[in-house]
């Protein structure tokens, strides 16, 4: 076997290029073998196919670079649930842009690590500029906003709660107040940080009610933190931010908005109005690996004032010695709780530059339009019931006469047959099929076909 080449350095490209051909061939062959939204046959069939392709996960002697790349990339593609397929629309799991995936390859080849300037000189400056631009997108009217790159909404929410806890240091422990519609990471974050159990307010209409927030805050001492959601994972609903902001201000509390899903609506002047009131939050989580067409991970935590990030300051002599900082080497450790850290900002930066804000807005508008279109088709369909008009790009529906068990079974059957991956969500006391539309190029006839798969009178028909 030849020695394995390095991805970077003067000869990196010579090493990479032929391997990329193998990767592309394997991706193409794997997608052809799958021929649809998802690998058919369920967990057993997929496990058997992967076992056959992988064999021994760590053979005594290697099979060589090209063989290994081809075998495993093909197996992964053949056994994928590929969000670029029009009938793969279960989760906030987006089809990444090719340009972003290409940029991510460069990030891997160069491997800058954003825990110290001497590992990431240009990457750290790029991150500073891009996060400044994104912070300004969230807080256009404030003088000193900032944003951190995270692994996603979970880390962003945790960091937001951590910063709130530290602001309250010395006083009573911070009490979180959120809706029953809040993401599970809010509860876990409070648990992880040793905060009191969050007060979870009922959201019978799927939304956090400002009056309920007001009443809850009446009962709580200190400076509670209200967590509102802009784009719930289940329905895409956006809590009424202006009213919640007023209730929070009246009580001298703080607001964090989990806009992991809805945040990128800000790119679109048409859609951004749905986030009015966002600027009253001390911090905002948003994910670009959902409504931003980035490969995972591409999360952000924006803060209204960069002073809020001070509690993250940390020293480690080998990374940010005080004399190095005094001599002008930028200190990166306070930009994350992680140490080694991928330059996830590169793919984001490339995407924002390639598409511009207008290009991002066009994609956002497209998926919102598709959701409105799908909802209209459901409304006209005699056998299907729509939960509610979509707010972002999530559409909940169900065969009108089906029981919850039949809805759950239908979802599993479509997945097992490899025809479609739809999500599930409980809302208004019932179980619904959930289509999370993140493919900006899905066609009207594909939306119709998706509905045909689920409609009661067409059970058993084959995919077009
Ligand atoms: C997806 C999501 C999260 C979690 O984000 P990850 O990127 O998966 O960590 C948090 N909140 C909301 C509202 C989400 O939709």
């Amino acid at each position: 076997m030849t020695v394995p080449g390095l991805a970077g350095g003067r000869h990196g490209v010579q090493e990479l290029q032929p391997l990329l051909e193998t990767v592309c061939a394997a991706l193409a062959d794997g997608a052809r073998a799958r021929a649809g939204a998802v690998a058919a046959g369920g967990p057993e069939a997929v496990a058997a196919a992967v076992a056959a392709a992988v064999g021994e996960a760590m053979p005594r002697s290697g099979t060589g670079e090209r063989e290994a790349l081809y075998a495993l990339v093909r197996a992964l593609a053949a056994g994928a649930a590929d969000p670029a397929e029009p009938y793969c629309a279960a989760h906030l799991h987006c089809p990444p842009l090719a340009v972003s995936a290409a940029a991510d390859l460069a990030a891997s080849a160069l491997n800058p690590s954003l825990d110290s300037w001497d590992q990431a000189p240009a990457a750290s400056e790029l991150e500073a500029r891009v996060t400044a631009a994104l912070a300004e997108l969230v807080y256009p009217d404030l003088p000193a906003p900032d944003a951190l790159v995270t692994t996603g909404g979970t880390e962003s929410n945790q960091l937001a709660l951590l910063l709130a806890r530290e602001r309250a240091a010395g006083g009573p422990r911070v009490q979180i107040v959120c809706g029953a519609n809040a993401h599970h990471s809010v509860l876990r974050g409070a648990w992880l940080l040793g905060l009191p159990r969050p007060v979870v307010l009922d959201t019978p209409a799927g939304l956090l009610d400002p009056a309920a927030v007001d009443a809850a805050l009446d009962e709580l001492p200190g400076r509670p933190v209200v967590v509102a959601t802009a784009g719930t994972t289940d329905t895409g609903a956006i809590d009424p931010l202006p009213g919640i902001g007023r209730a929070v201000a009246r009580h001298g509390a703080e607001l964090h908005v989990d806009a992991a899903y809805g945040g990128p609506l800000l790119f679109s002047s048409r859609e951004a109005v749905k986030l009015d009131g966002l600027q009253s939050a001390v911090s905002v989580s948003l994910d670009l690996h959902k409504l931003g067409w980035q490969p995972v991970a591409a999360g952000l935590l924006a803060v209204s004032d960069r002073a809020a990030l001070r509690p993250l300051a940390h020293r480690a002599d080998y990374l940010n010695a005080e004399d190095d900082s005094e001599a002008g080497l930028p200190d990166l450790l306070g930009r994350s709780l992680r140490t080694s850290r991928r330059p996830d900002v590169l793919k984001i930066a490339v995407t924002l530059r390639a598409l511009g804000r207008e290009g991002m807005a066009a994609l956002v508008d497209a998926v919102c339009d598709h959701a409105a279109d799908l909802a209209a088709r459901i409304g006209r369909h005699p056998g299907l019931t729509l939960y509610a008009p979509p707010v972002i790009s999530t559409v909940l529906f169900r065969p009108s006469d089906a029981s919850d068990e039949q809805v759950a079974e239908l979802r599993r059957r479509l997945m097992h047959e490899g025809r479609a991956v739809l999500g599930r969500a409980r809302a208004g006391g019932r179980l619904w099929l959930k289509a999370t539309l993140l493919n900006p190029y899905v066609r009207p006839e594909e939306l119709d076909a998706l509905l045909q798969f689920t409609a009661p009178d067409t059970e058993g028909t084959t995919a077009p």
Side-chain angles (χ1 to χ4, degrees), residues 27 65 162 189 221 249 271 359:
L27 285 173
E65 294 172 346
L162 171 68
E271 296 295 325

Side-chain angles (χ1 to χ4, degrees), residues 229-266:
T229 311
T232 63
T233 315
D234 274 354
T235 71
I238 298 174
D239 285 337
L241 302 178
I244 294 169
R246 282 192 293 274
V248 164
R250 217 167 16 248
H251 290 85
E254 288 185 341
L255 176 64
H256 167 68
V257 176
D258 178 0
Y261 178 13
L265 294 177
L266 290 170

Side-chain angles (χ1 to χ4, degrees), residues 15 74 76 129 172 365 376 418 420:
E15 298 289 338
R74 187 188 177 286
L76 216 65
R129 288 176 166 266
D365 289 354

Side-chain angles (χ1 to χ4, degrees), residues 56-249:
E56 223 182 327
M58 187 167 59
R60 183 174 176 86
S61 309
T63 59
E65 294 172 346
R66 286 205 170 206
E67 190 285 336
L69 263 178
Y70 184 84
L72 298 188
V73 172
R74 187 188 177 286
L76 216 65
D82 184 348
E85 294 286 348
Y87 308 129
C88 185
H91 297 284
L92 287 161
H93 170 213
C94 74
L97 297 174
V99 67
S100 183
D104 220 15
L105 173 74
S108 288
L110 292 166
N111 204 28
S113 183
L114 284 148
D115 43 333
S116 65
W117 188 86
D118 58 3
Q119 299 174 84
S124 57
E125 179 61 21
L126 183 68
E127 185 177 86
R129 288 176 166 266
V130 172
T131 50
L134 289 166
E136 202 184 313
L137 181 73
V138 177
Y139 293 110
D141 302 328
L142 298 187
D146 202 348
L148 300 180
V149 177
T150 69
T151 52
T154 301
E155 186 188 344
S156 298
N157 287 340
Q158 274 171 13
L159 272 176
L161 300 189
L162 171 68
L163 296 176
R165 186 190 77 181
E166 293 307 295
R167 277 194 294 278
R173 289 194 308 164
V174 154
Q175 177 65 56
I176 309 297
V177 178
C178 65
N181 63 352
H183 192 260
H184 59 84
S185 59
V186 174
L187 300 185
R188 272 201 178 184
W191 165 74
L192 178 71
L193 293 164
L195 299 175
R197 254 190 107 68
V199 172
V200 179
L201 303 176
D202 271 346
T203 51
L207 292 171
L208 191 52
D209 175 6
V213 171
D214 206 53
L217 292 178
D218 275 341
E219 305 294 313
L220 294 171
R223 204 172 158 77
V225 174
V226 175
V227 177
T229 311
T232 63
T233 315
D234 274 354
T235 71
I238 298 174
D239 285 337
L241 302 178
I244 294 169
R246 282 192 293 274
V248 164

Side-chain angles (χ1 to χ4, degrees), residues 82-447:
D82 184 348
E85 294 286 348
Y87 308 129
C88 185
H91 297 284
L92 287 161
H93 170 213
C94 74
L97 297 174
V99 67
S100 183
D104 220 15
L105 173 74
S108 288
L110 292 166
N111 204 28
S113 183
L114 284 148
D115 43 333
S116 65
W117 188 86
D118 58 3
Q119 299 174 84
S124 57
E125 179 61 21
L126 183 68
E127 185 177 86
R129 288 176 166 266
V130 172
T131 50
L134 289 166
E136 202 184 313
L137 181 73
V138 177
Y139 293 110
D141 302 328
L142 298 187
D146 202 348
L148 300 180
V149 177
T150 69
T151 52
T154 301
E155 186 188 344
S156 298
N157 287 340
Q158 274 171 13
L159 272 176
L161 300 189
L162 171 68
L163 296 176
R165 186 190 77 181
E166 293 307 295
R167 277 194 294 278
R173 289 194 308 164
V174 154
Q175 177 65 56
I176 309 297
V177 178
C178 65
N181 63 352
H183 192 260
H184 59 84
S185 59
V186 174
L187 300 185
R188 272 201 178 184
W191 165 74
L192 178 71
L193 293 164
L195 299 175
R197 254 190 107 68
V199 172
V200 179
L201 303 176
D202 271 346
T203 51
L207 292 171
L208 191 52
D209 175 6
V213 171
D214 206 53
L217 292 178
D218 275 341
E219 305 294 313
L220 294 171
R223 204 172 158 77
V225 174
V226 175
V227 177
T229 311
T232 63
T233 315
D234 274 354
T235 71
I238 298 174
D239 285 337
L241 302 178
I244 294 169
R246 282 192 293 274
V248 164
R250 217 167 16 248
H251 290 85
E254 288 185 341
L255 176 64
H256 167 68
V257 176
D258 178 0
Y261 178 13
L265 294 177
L266 290 170
F267 289 120
S268 158
S269 45
R270 187 188 86 187
E271 296 295 325
V273 292
K274 293 174 181 168
L275 298 180
D276 278 354
L278 190 66
Q279 282 198 79
S280 71
V282 289
S283 50
V284 174
S285 304
L286 77 162
D287 274 355
L288 294 175
H289 58 235
K290 290 173 176 174
L291 209 53
W293 298 281
Q294 302 300 305
V296 177
L300 291 155
L301 176 71
V303 292
S304 59
D305 184 341
R306 68 173 69 100
L309 301 177
R310 262 186 222 135
L312 298 179
H314 189 66
R315 285 275 169 209
D317 198 61
Y318 74 110
L319 293 172
N320 61 352
E322 237 169 283
D323 54 305
D324 274 349
S325 298
E326 277 160 21
L329 292 183
D331 170 2
L332 310 183
L333 265 195
R335 309 281 304 167
S336 180
L337 288 182
R338 288 177 279 158
T339 306
S340 298
R341 189 156 68 81
R342 271 176 68 80
D344 286 320
V345 73
L346 177 60
K347 63 197 173 195
I348 298 171
V350 168
T351 303
L352 295 179
R353 181 176 169 112
L355 279 70
R357 186 165 171 174
E358 286 173 6
M360 294 299 286
L363 297 180
V364 167
D365 289 354
V367 296
C368 293
D369 288 344
H370 294 323
D373 184 11
L374 181 66
R377 285 166 200 275
I378 294 164
R380 289 195 296 269
H381 198 291
L384 297 172
T385 302
L386 177 70
Y387 170 65
V391 178
I392 306 179
S393 66
T394 299
V395 183
L396 265 50
F397 65 104
R398 50 182 291 142
S400 303
D401 300 323
S403 66
D404 286 359
E405 292 70 27
Q406 285 168 327
V407 168
E409 168 58 30
L410 172 60
R411 188 187 91 87
R412 283 189 294 268
R413 181 164 59 76
L414 291 173
M415 190 157 57
H416 192 88
E417 291 170 355
R419 275 207 244 176
V421 200
L422 289 168
R424 52 182 282 165
R426 215 162 262 291
R430 307 219 65 177
L431 189 66
W432 301 83
L433 296 171
K434 174 173 82 164
T436 311
L437 301 180
L438 291 177
N439 183 335
Y441 309 122
V442 69
R443 297 196 308 261
E445 58 271 27
E446 291 165 339
L447 296 178

